[in-house]
Amino acid sequence: MTRTDAIAATALVVLWSSGFIGAELGTAHASAHTLLGWRYVCAVVVLGLWCWFRGLRPTWTAVRRHTVLGFFSQFLYLACIFAGVGAGVPAGTSALVAAMQPLVVAALSTRVLGQSFERRRAIGLAVGFGGVIIVVAGDLGGGTASWPAYLLPLAGMLSLSFGTVLERRMQTSEPIPLAMCIQGAVAATLFMAWNVVTGEVTPPSTTGFWTAVVWLVVLSTFGAYGTYMFVVRRSGATRASALLYLTPGTTMVWAYIMFDDRITWPAVLGTVVAGLAVCEWKYIAGLFAHKSRSAFTISSS
């Protein structure tokens, strides 16, 4: 793993986790779809101006590609996750379901992308999933939602998984700000249409709401999705998805700092297990293999 890959991986985990904190900040002042609608409207305005001044112009091919990706990876994913939480699904349970994404992406990649799925990778993903289970175990069964509501975070996870593999399949090469602008425009249009139907277009005038919008635009949209697309293009869909195993534990730290939520030992243990699962073990394995060969050579001589 290069230094650039390490920095990108760390940034992805921290910034992706910021979305859960921003959701808690914003939904205290407005509904989830109102928050998401204005988040994307503001993001698209900034991205559109940036692309205009930088001379970035989309082709029709780019528009078609990123319209599909924006629907699955941004609109449908967030709509399902937020709707599930709004219906009473515990945040920890939603995080657990979302953390199944690496396994789904890895499985889809073998079919769609023709990537190999080695036993070592399968074990690592399974260990990471076990770590996430430990992190969110305290939340399981604590919700008041009826069982169909639990299908919403599952649908969101499947949507992001499909969008991630599709991104790799399409081999998109448009500049990331331009790609995010197109995808964001799709999400903004659909969320605002949702707000029109529900009569919740007008945003609250509270400082807390707009603070949450700025938080989500800067950290979660520009930061998280921008870094996610970078890692997918550079390191592959499975690696990018596996890093999301670390988001429940990282969110736990964010929540402790900002909301004084307590940190339990099972949560710490689960975070460590998940962290070990996404470490680059090839170098360590290579060292052991080299030592084994050296020992064999010495003993043979």
Side-chain angles (χ1 to χ4, degrees):
M1 179 183 291
T2 67
R3 182 178 180 181
T4 299
D5 291 327
I7 293 174
T10 302
L12 174 59
V13 172
V14 173
L15 292 170
W16 196 271
S17 301
S18 71
F20 295 96
I21 302 301
E24 186 166 344
L25 289 172
T27 51
H29 303 275
S31 64
H33 50 84
T34 299
L35 174 66
L36 290 169
W38 285 101
R39 162 191 175 174
Y40 277 108
V41 166
C42 294
V44 169
V45 169
V46 175
L47 286 168
L49 291 173
W50 173 263
C51 292
W52 178 266
F53 285 115
R54 297 290 294 179
L56 303 176
R57 303 291 186 270
T59 63
W60 282 112
T61 299
V63 171
R64 289 195 299 269
R65 285 178 174 177
H66 290 288
T67 295
V68 176
L69 293 174
F71 176 79
F72 286 106
S73 298
Q74 302 211 38
F75 170 74
L76 190 56
Y77 165 64
L78 288 175
C80 291
I81 292 294
F82 276 71
V85 173
V89 179
T93 305
S94 295
L96 174 62
V97 175
M100 293 172 60
Q101 187 207 3
L103 296 174
V104 176
V105 168
L108 288 174
S109 296
T110 61
R111 295 287 185 177
V112 180
L113 304 178
Q115 296 180 355
S116 61
F117 193 43
E118 303 172 354
R119 178 177 297 180
R120 178 176 58 86
R121 177 179 292 179
I123 293 174
L125 290 170
V127 170
F129 185 53
V132 174
I133 291 177
I134 297 173
V135 171
V136 301
D139 288 332
L140 292 177
T144 58
S146 59
W147 73 265
Y150 288 83
L151 298 177
L152 290 169
L154 176 62
M157 179 273 295
L158 293 174
S159 178
L160 182 60
S161 299
F162 181 75
T164 299
V165 175
L166 195 59
E167 164 87 14
R168 195 67 171 177
R169 172 78 174 185
M170 291 179 175
Q171 297 183 339
T172 57
S173 58
E174 292 79 19
I176 289 179
L178 182 61
M180 290 179 61
C181 185
I182 300 171
Q183 294 186 24
V186 173
T189 300
L190 294 174
F191 278 122
M192 292 308 287
W194 186 351
N195 293 334
V196 169
V197 172
T198 59
E200 298 178 86
V201 176
T202 304
S205 57
T206 60
T207 302
F209 175 82
W210 289 108
T211 299
V213 169
V214 172
W215 176 287
L216 289 170
V217 168
V218 175
L219 297 180
S220 305
T221 301
F222 298 159
Y225 275 103
T227 306
Y228 187 74
M229 292 175 67
F230 176 82
V231 174
V232 168
R233 292 182 182 185
R234 183 177 175 89
S235 303
T238 302
R239 172 63 63 87
S241 297
L243 289 170
L244 300 187
Y245 270 141
L246 301 180
T247 57
T250 307
T251 303
M252 172 189 65
V253 176
W254 277 90
Y256 171 75
I257 295 173
M258 297 189 64
F259 307 119
D260 199 27
D261 290 352
R262 67 189 185 96
I263 298 178
T264 63
W265 282 111
V268 174
L269 175 61
T271 302
V272 172
V273 171
L276 292 176
V278 297
C279 284
E280 181 55 70
W281 288 100
K282 183 181 293 186
Y283 175 70
I284 299 175
L287 286 178
F288 278 107
H290 176 72
K291 290 181 179 180
S292 297
R293 288 195 297 269
S294 298
F296 178 77
T297 300
I298 293 174
S299 61
S300 297
S301 61

PDB file of all heavy atoms in Angstrom, residues 72 76-78 80-81 94-105 108 151-164:
ATOM      1  N   PHE A  72     -28.494   5.065  -7.896  1.00  0.00           N
ATOM      2  CA  PHE A  72     -28.241   3.936  -6.997  1.00  0.00           C
ATOM      3  C   PHE A  72     -27.339   4.310  -5.815  1.00  0.00           C
ATOM      4  O   PHE A  72     -27.634   3.945  -4.671  1.00  0.00           O
ATOM      5  CB  PHE A  72     -27.593   2.772  -7.768  1.00  0.00           C
ATOM      6  CG  PHE A  72     -28.551   2.036  -8.658  1.00  0.00           C
ATOM      7  CD1 PHE A  72     -28.515   2.205 -10.024  1.00  0.00           C
ATOM      8  CD2 PHE A  72     -29.483   1.169  -8.115  1.00  0.00           C
ATOM      9  CE1 PHE A  72     -29.406   1.526 -10.854  1.00  0.00           C
ATOM     10  CE2 PHE A  72     -30.375   0.477  -8.930  1.00  0.00           C
ATOM     11  CZ  PHE A  72     -30.343   0.667 -10.304  1.00  0.00           C
ATOM     12  N   LEU A  76     -30.982   6.467  -3.910  1.00  0.00           N
ATOM     13  CA  LEU A  76     -31.656   5.290  -3.364  1.00  0.00           C
ATOM     14  C   LEU A  76     -30.977   4.799  -2.089  1.00  0.00           C
ATOM     15  O   LEU A  76     -31.650   4.405  -1.130  1.00  0.00           O
ATOM     16  CB  LEU A  76     -31.689   4.174  -4.411  1.00  0.00           C
ATOM     17  CG  LEU A  76     -32.579   2.966  -4.080  1.00  0.00           C
ATOM     18  CD1 LEU A  76     -34.015   3.397  -3.807  1.00  0.00           C
ATOM     19  CD2 LEU A  76     -32.538   1.948  -5.222  1.00  0.00           C
ATOM     20  N   TYR A  77     -29.657   4.824  -2.062  1.00  0.00           N
ATOM     21  CA  TYR A  77     -28.928   4.390  -0.872  1.00  0.00           C
ATOM     22  C   TYR A  77     -29.314   5.224   0.348  1.00  0.00           C
ATOM     23  O   TYR A  77     -29.728   4.687   1.383  1.00  0.00           O
ATOM     24  CB  TYR A  77     -27.423   4.492  -1.132  1.00  0.00           C
ATOM     25  CG  TYR A  77     -26.577   4.416   0.108  1.00  0.00           C
ATOM     26  CD1 TYR A  77     -26.546   3.269   0.888  1.00  0.00           C
ATOM     27  CD2 TYR A  77     -25.789   5.500   0.504  1.00  0.00           C
ATOM     28  CE1 TYR A  77     -25.761   3.197   2.040  1.00  0.00           C
ATOM     29  CE2 TYR A  77     -25.006   5.437   1.646  1.00  0.00           C
ATOM     30  CZ  TYR A  77     -24.992   4.292   2.408  1.00  0.00           C
ATOM     31  OH  TYR A  77     -24.226   4.224   3.550  1.00  0.00           O
ATOM     32  N   LEU A  78     -29.214   6.558   0.232  1.00  0.00           N
ATOM     33  CA  LEU A  78     -29.505   7.416   1.373  1.00  0.00           C
ATOM     34  C   LEU A  78     -30.993   7.428   1.707  1.00  0.00           C
ATOM     35  O   LEU A  78     -31.373   7.483   2.881  1.00  0.00           O
ATOM     36  CB  LEU A  78     -29.010   8.835   1.094  1.00  0.00           C
ATOM     37  CG  LEU A  78     -27.488   9.003   1.109  1.00  0.00           C
ATOM     38  CD1 LEU A  78     -27.104  10.422   0.693  1.00  0.00           C
ATOM     39  CD2 LEU A  78     -26.912   8.686   2.479  1.00  0.00           C
ATOM     40  N   CYS A  80     -33.148   5.009   1.441  1.00  0.00           N
ATOM     41  CA  CYS A  80     -33.502   3.785   2.170  1.00  0.00           C
ATOM     42  C   CYS A  80     -32.932   3.790   3.587  1.00  0.00           C
ATOM     43  O   CYS A  80     -33.617   3.420   4.545  1.00  0.00           O
ATOM     44  CB  CYS A  80     -33.003   2.561   1.399  1.00  0.00           C
ATOM     45  SG  CYS A  80     -33.882   2.244  -0.147  1.00  0.00           S
ATOM     46  N   ILE A  81     -31.678   4.195   3.730  1.00  0.00           N
ATOM     47  CA  ILE A  81     -31.053   4.213   5.053  1.00  0.00           C
ATOM     48  C   ILE A  81     -31.788   5.172   5.980  1.00  0.00           C
ATOM     49  O   ILE A  81     -32.150   4.825   7.118  1.00  0.00           O
ATOM     50  CB  ILE A  81     -29.570   4.602   4.948  1.00  0.00           C
ATOM     51  CG1 ILE A  81     -28.768   3.506   4.228  1.00  0.00           C
ATOM     52  CG2 ILE A  81     -28.987   4.872   6.340  1.00  0.00           C
ATOM     53  CD1 ILE A  81     -28.678   2.201   4.986  1.00  0.00           C
ATOM     54  N   SER A  94     -28.922  -0.576  11.419  1.00  0.00           N
ATOM     55  CA  SER A  94     -28.719  -0.056  10.063  1.00  0.00           C
ATOM     56  C   SER A  94     -27.250  -0.115   9.682  1.00  0.00           C
ATOM     57  O   SER A  94     -26.896  -0.476   8.546  1.00  0.00           O
ATOM     58  CB  SER A  94     -29.231   1.383   9.969  1.00  0.00           C
ATOM     59  OG  SER A  94     -30.627   1.430  10.167  1.00  0.00           O
ATOM     60  N   ALA A  95     -26.376   0.230  10.621  1.00  0.00           N
ATOM     61  CA  ALA A  95     -24.942   0.170  10.355  1.00  0.00           C
ATOM     62  C   ALA A  95     -24.487  -1.256  10.100  1.00  0.00           C
ATOM     63  O   ALA A  95     -23.642  -1.509   9.238  1.00  0.00           O
ATOM     64  CB  ALA A  95     -24.170   0.769  11.532  1.00  0.00           C
ATOM     65  N   LEU A  96     -25.034  -2.197  10.856  1.00  0.00           N
ATOM     66  CA  LEU A  96     -24.689  -3.602  10.668  1.00  0.00           C
ATOM     67  C   LEU A  96     -25.094  -4.083   9.280  1.00  0.00           C
ATOM     68  O   LEU A  96     -24.319  -4.725   8.574  1.00  0.00           O
ATOM     69  CB  LEU A  96     -25.368  -4.459  11.733  1.00  0.00           C
ATOM     70  CG  LEU A  96     -25.207  -5.972  11.585  1.00  0.00           C
ATOM     71  CD1 LEU A  96     -23.741  -6.356  11.686  1.00  0.00           C
ATOM     72  CD2 LEU A  96     -26.019  -6.703  12.631  1.00  0.00           C
ATOM     73  N   VAL A  97     -26.318  -3.749   8.860  1.00  0.00           N
ATOM     74  CA  VAL A  97     -26.786  -4.157   7.535  1.00  0.00           C
ATOM     75  C   VAL A  97     -25.932  -3.508   6.456  1.00  0.00           C
ATOM     76  O   VAL A  97     -25.524  -4.158   5.489  1.00  0.00           O
ATOM     77  CB  VAL A  97     -28.273  -3.788   7.354  1.00  0.00           C
ATOM     78  CG1 VAL A  97     -28.726  -4.093   5.933  1.00  0.00           C
ATOM     79  CG2 VAL A  97     -29.130  -4.558   8.355  1.00  0.00           C
ATOM     80  N   ALA A  98     -25.632  -2.217   6.618  1.00  0.00           N
ATOM     81  CA  ALA A  98     -24.814  -1.513   5.631  1.00  0.00           C
ATOM     82  C   ALA A  98     -23.415  -2.098   5.552  1.00  0.00           C
ATOM     83  O   ALA A  98     -22.788  -2.099   4.488  1.00  0.00           O
ATOM     84  CB  ALA A  98     -24.744  -0.026   5.977  1.00  0.00           C
ATOM     85  N   ALA A  99     -22.908  -2.625   6.678  1.00  0.00           N
ATOM     86  CA  ALA A  99     -21.566  -3.187   6.705  1.00  0.00           C
ATOM     87  C   ALA A  99     -21.466  -4.524   5.981  1.00  0.00           C
ATOM     88  O   ALA A  99     -20.366  -5.036   5.786  1.00  0.00           O
ATOM     89  CB  ALA A  99     -21.101  -3.354   8.154  1.00  0.00           C
ATOM     90  N   MET A 100     -22.586  -5.077   5.564  1.00  0.00           N
ATOM     91  CA  MET A 100     -22.554  -6.289   4.752  1.00  0.00           C
ATOM     92  C   MET A 100     -22.129  -5.994   3.322  1.00  0.00           C
ATOM     93  O   MET A 100     -21.868  -6.905   2.539  1.00  0.00           O
ATOM     94  CB  MET A 100     -23.935  -6.942   4.739  1.00  0.00           C
ATOM     95  CG  MET A 100     -24.382  -7.496   6.078  1.00  0.00           C
ATOM     96  SD  MET A 100     -26.123  -8.040   6.065  1.00  0.00           S
ATOM     97  CE  MET A 100     -26.063  -9.303   4.782  1.00  0.00           C
ATOM     98  N   GLN A 101     -22.025  -4.702   2.981  1.00  0.00           N
ATOM     99  CA  GLN A 101     -21.721  -4.314   1.610  1.00  0.00           C
ATOM    100  C   GLN A 101     -20.436  -4.936   1.053  1.00  0.00           C
ATOM    101  O   GLN A 101     -20.427  -5.381  -0.100  1.00  0.00           O
ATOM    102  CB  GLN A 101     -21.638  -2.792   1.496  1.00  0.00           C
ATOM    103  CG  GLN A 101     -21.493  -2.305   0.058  1.00  0.00           C
ATOM    104  CD  GLN A 101     -20.776  -0.974  -0.033  1.00  0.00           C
ATOM    105  OE1 GLN A 101     -20.344  -0.436   0.979  1.00  0.00           O
ATOM    106  NE2 GLN A 101     -20.638  -0.452  -1.227  1.00  0.00           N
ATOM    107  N   PRO A 102     -19.316  -4.968   1.812  1.00  0.00           N
ATOM    108  CA  PRO A 102     -18.110  -5.571   1.237  1.00  0.00           C
ATOM    109  C   PRO A 102     -18.303  -7.001   0.765  1.00  0.00           C
ATOM    110  O   PRO A 102     -17.762  -7.395  -0.277  1.00  0.00           O
ATOM    111  CB  PRO A 102     -17.102  -5.493   2.400  1.00  0.00           C
ATOM    112  CG  PRO A 102     -17.572  -4.354   3.218  1.00  0.00           C
ATOM    113  CD  PRO A 102     -19.072  -4.393   3.132  1.00  0.00           C
ATOM    114  N   LEU A 103     -19.054  -7.797   1.530  1.00  0.00           N
ATOM    115  CA  LEU A 103     -19.310  -9.172   1.112  1.00  0.00           C
ATOM    116  C   LEU A 103     -20.119  -9.217  -0.171  1.00  0.00           C
ATOM    117  O   LEU A 103     -19.850 -10.010  -1.075  1.00  0.00           O
ATOM    118  CB  LEU A 103     -20.052  -9.923   2.224  1.00  0.00           C
ATOM    119  CG  LEU A 103     -19.294 -10.114   3.535  1.00  0.00           C
ATOM    120  CD1 LEU A 103     -20.208 -10.731   4.589  1.00  0.00           C
ATOM    121  CD2 LEU A 103     -18.072 -10.991   3.315  1.00  0.00           C
ATOM    122  N   VAL A 104     -21.120  -8.323  -0.271  1.00  0.00           N
ATOM    123  CA  VAL A 104     -21.958  -8.282  -1.464  1.00  0.00           C
ATOM    124  C   VAL A 104     -21.156  -7.789  -2.665  1.00  0.00           C
ATOM    125  O   VAL A 104     -21.247  -8.340  -3.768  1.00  0.00           O
ATOM    126  CB  VAL A 104     -23.188  -7.380  -1.230  1.00  0.00           C
ATOM    127  CG1 VAL A 104     -24.016  -7.253  -2.498  1.00  0.00           C
ATOM    128  CG2 VAL A 104     -24.039  -7.946  -0.097  1.00  0.00           C
ATOM    129  N   VAL A 105     -20.345  -6.731  -2.456  1.00  0.00           N
ATOM    130  CA  VAL A 105     -19.530  -6.197  -3.544  1.00  0.00           C
ATOM    131  C   VAL A 105     -18.531  -7.238  -4.036  1.00  0.00           C
ATOM    132  O   VAL A 105     -18.331  -7.421  -5.245  1.00  0.00           O
ATOM    133  CB  VAL A 105     -18.792  -4.917  -3.097  1.00  0.00           C
ATOM    134  CG1 VAL A 105     -17.714  -4.524  -4.102  1.00  0.00           C
ATOM    135  CG2 VAL A 105     -19.780  -3.770  -2.941  1.00  0.00           C
ATOM    136  N   LEU A 108     -20.467  -9.787  -6.037  1.00  0.00           N
ATOM    137  CA  LEU A 108     -20.866  -9.232  -7.334  1.00  0.00           C
ATOM    138  C   LEU A 108     -19.676  -9.063  -8.262  1.00  0.00           C
ATOM    139  O   LEU A 108     -19.786  -9.257  -9.473  1.00  0.00           O
ATOM    140  CB  LEU A 108     -21.568  -7.890  -7.140  1.00  0.00           C
ATOM    141  CG  LEU A 108     -22.984  -7.908  -6.552  1.00  0.00           C
ATOM    142  CD1 LEU A 108     -23.466  -6.491  -6.295  1.00  0.00           C
ATOM    143  CD2 LEU A 108     -23.945  -8.630  -7.498  1.00  0.00           C
ATOM    144  N   LEU A 151     -36.227  -4.042   5.955  1.00  0.00           N
ATOM    145  CA  LEU A 151     -35.847  -4.261   4.562  1.00  0.00           C
ATOM    146  C   LEU A 151     -35.291  -2.992   3.921  1.00  0.00           C
ATOM    147  O   LEU A 151     -34.607  -3.058   2.899  1.00  0.00           O
ATOM    148  CB  LEU A 151     -37.061  -4.744   3.755  1.00  0.00           C
ATOM    149  CG  LEU A 151     -37.676  -6.077   4.193  1.00  0.00           C
ATOM    150  CD1 LEU A 151     -38.908  -6.389   3.342  1.00  0.00           C
ATOM    151  CD2 LEU A 151     -36.651  -7.205   4.092  1.00  0.00           C
ATOM    152  N   LEU A 152     -35.584  -1.831   4.522  1.00  0.00           N
ATOM    153  CA  LEU A 152     -35.121  -0.569   3.950  1.00  0.00           C
ATOM    154  C   LEU A 152     -33.597  -0.430   3.988  1.00  0.00           C
ATOM    155  O   LEU A 152     -32.984  -0.154   2.956  1.00  0.00           O
ATOM    156  CB  LEU A 152     -35.805   0.607   4.654  1.00  0.00           C
ATOM    157  CG  LEU A 152     -37.299   0.764   4.351  1.00  0.00           C
ATOM    158  CD1 LEU A 152     -37.936   1.783   5.292  1.00  0.00           C
ATOM    159  CD2 LEU A 152     -37.503   1.200   2.903  1.00  0.00           C
ATOM    160  N   PRO A 153     -32.938  -0.577   5.140  1.00  0.00           N
ATOM    161  CA  PRO A 153     -31.473  -0.514   5.118  1.00  0.00           C
ATOM    162  C   PRO A 153     -30.850  -1.615   4.271  1.00  0.00           C
ATOM    163  O   PRO A 153     -29.790  -1.408   3.670  1.00  0.00           O
ATOM    164  CB  PRO A 153     -31.077  -0.647   6.597  1.00  0.00           C
ATOM    165  CG  PRO A 153     -32.271  -1.199   7.279  1.00  0.00           C
ATOM    166  CD  PRO A 153     -33.460  -0.723   6.512  1.00  0.00           C
ATOM    167  N   LEU A 154     -31.519  -2.775   4.199  1.00  0.00           N
ATOM    168  CA  LEU A 154     -31.017  -3.838   3.329  1.00  0.00           C
ATOM    169  C   LEU A 154     -31.056  -3.393   1.874  1.00  0.00           C
ATOM    170  O   LEU A 154     -30.091  -3.590   1.118  1.00  0.00           O
ATOM    171  CB  LEU A 154     -31.861  -5.103   3.519  1.00  0.00           C
ATOM    172  CG  LEU A 154     -31.516  -6.286   2.605  1.00  0.00           C
ATOM    173  CD1 LEU A 154     -30.098  -6.761   2.858  1.00  0.00           C
ATOM    174  CD2 LEU A 154     -32.503  -7.430   2.811  1.00  0.00           C
ATOM    175  N   ALA A 155     -32.165  -2.767   1.470  1.00  0.00           N
ATOM    176  CA  ALA A 155     -32.272  -2.261   0.101  1.00  0.00           C
ATOM    177  C   ALA A 155     -31.238  -1.180  -0.164  1.00  0.00           C
ATOM    178  O   ALA A 155     -30.650  -1.111  -1.252  1.00  0.00           O
ATOM    179  CB  ALA A 155     -33.682  -1.719  -0.133  1.00  0.00           C
ATOM    180  N   GLY A 156     -30.988  -0.316   0.832  1.00  0.00           N
ATOM    181  CA  GLY A 156     -29.975   0.720   0.667  1.00  0.00           C
ATOM    182  C   GLY A 156     -28.589   0.133   0.481  1.00  0.00           C
ATOM    183  O   GLY A 156     -27.813   0.574  -0.370  1.00  0.00           O
ATOM    184  N   MET A 157     -28.254  -0.877   1.278  1.00  0.00           N
ATOM    185  CA  MET A 157     -26.962  -1.525   1.153  1.00  0.00           C
ATOM    186  C   MET A 157     -26.790  -2.174  -0.216  1.00  0.00           C
ATOM    187  O   MET A 157     -25.745  -2.049  -0.865  1.00  0.00           O
ATOM    188  CB  MET A 157     -26.818  -2.570   2.264  1.00  0.00           C
ATOM    189  CG  MET A 157     -25.505  -3.349   2.247  1.00  0.00           C
ATOM    190  SD  MET A 157     -25.527  -4.819   1.187  1.00  0.00           S
ATOM    191  CE  MET A 157     -26.747  -5.812   2.028  1.00  0.00           C
ATOM    192  N   LEU A 158     -27.823  -2.857  -0.687  1.00  0.00           N
ATOM    193  CA  LEU A 158     -27.759  -3.490  -2.006  1.00  0.00           C
ATOM    194  C   LEU A 158     -27.625  -2.453  -3.109  1.00  0.00           C
ATOM    195  O   LEU A 158     -26.918  -2.662  -4.107  1.00  0.00           O
ATOM    196  CB  LEU A 158     -29.009  -4.347  -2.232  1.00  0.00           C
ATOM    197  CG  LEU A 158     -29.145  -5.589  -1.343  1.00  0.00           C
ATOM    198  CD1 LEU A 158     -30.497  -6.259  -1.572  1.00  0.00           C
ATOM    199  CD2 LEU A 158     -28.015  -6.574  -1.613  1.00  0.00           C
ATOM    200  N   SER A 159     -28.294  -1.304  -2.927  1.00  0.00           N
ATOM    201  CA  SER A 159     -28.224  -0.248  -3.929  1.00  0.00           C
ATOM    202  C   SER A 159     -26.810   0.308  -4.045  1.00  0.00           C
ATOM    203  O   SER A 159     -26.279   0.472  -5.158  1.00  0.00           O
ATOM    204  CB  SER A 159     -29.202   0.874  -3.562  1.00  0.00           C
ATOM    205  OG  SER A 159     -29.114   1.931  -4.498  1.00  0.00           O
ATOM    206  N   LEU A 160     -26.170   0.618  -2.909  1.00  0.00           N
ATOM    207  CA  LEU A 160     -24.803   1.140  -2.949  1.00  0.00           C
ATOM    208  C   LEU A 160     -23.829   0.091  -3.468  1.00  0.00           C
ATOM    209  O   LEU A 160     -22.892   0.417  -4.209  1.00  0.00           O
ATOM    210  CB  LEU A 160     -24.384   1.606  -1.557  1.00  0.00           C
ATOM    211  CG  LEU A 160     -22.988   2.218  -1.457  1.00  0.00           C
ATOM    212  CD1 LEU A 160     -22.870   3.446  -2.354  1.00  0.00           C
ATOM    213  CD2 LEU A 160     -22.658   2.600  -0.015  1.00  0.00           C
ATOM    214  N   SER A 161     -24.047  -1.171  -3.116  1.00  0.00           N
ATOM    215  CA  SER A 161     -23.187  -2.246  -3.616  1.00  0.00           C
ATOM    216  C   SER A 161     -23.261  -2.340  -5.134  1.00  0.00           C
ATOM    217  O   SER A 161     -22.237  -2.431  -5.824  1.00  0.00           O
ATOM    218  CB  SER A 161     -23.605  -3.583  -2.992  1.00  0.00           C
ATOM    219  OG  SER A 161     -23.488  -3.556  -1.590  1.00  0.00           O
ATOM    220  N   PHE A 162     -24.487  -2.299  -5.654  1.00  0.00           N
ATOM    221  CA  PHE A 162     -24.670  -2.380  -7.102  1.00  0.00           C
ATOM    222  C   PHE A 162     -24.038  -1.171  -7.786  1.00  0.00           C
ATOM    223  O   PHE A 162     -23.370  -1.305  -8.819  1.00  0.00           O
ATOM    224  CB  PHE A 162     -26.159  -2.455  -7.433  1.00  0.00           C
ATOM    225  CG  PHE A 162     -26.443  -2.565  -8.904  1.00  0.00           C
ATOM    226  CD1 PHE A 162     -26.232  -3.752  -9.577  1.00  0.00           C
ATOM    227  CD2 PHE A 162     -26.921  -1.476  -9.621  1.00  0.00           C
ATOM    228  CE1 PHE A 162     -26.494  -3.860 -10.946  1.00  0.00           C
ATOM    229  CE2 PHE A 162     -27.177  -1.565 -10.973  1.00  0.00           C
ATOM    230  CZ  PHE A 162     -26.960  -2.761 -11.643  1.00  0.00           C
ATOM    231  N   GLY A 163     -24.241   0.016  -7.213  1.00  0.00           N
ATOM    232  CA  GLY A 163     -23.661   1.220  -7.798  1.00  0.00           C
ATOM    233  C   GLY A 163     -22.147   1.191  -7.788  1.00  0.00           C
ATOM    234  O   GLY A 163     -21.495   1.649  -8.731  1.00  0.00           O
ATOM    235  N   THR A 164     -21.552   0.632  -6.717  1.00  0.00           N
ATOM    236  CA  THR A 164     -20.099   0.553  -6.620  1.00  0.00           C
ATOM    237  C   THR A 164     -19.520  -0.356  -7.698  1.00  0.00           C
ATOM    238  O   THR A 164     -18.544  -0.006  -8.371  1.00  0.00           O
ATOM    239  CB  THR A 164     -19.697   0.019  -5.228  1.00  0.00           C
ATOM    240  OG1 THR A 164     -20.172   0.930  -4.227  1.00  0.00           O
ATOM    241  CG2 THR A 164     -18.192  -0.107  -5.109  1.00  0.00           C
TER     242      THR A 164
END
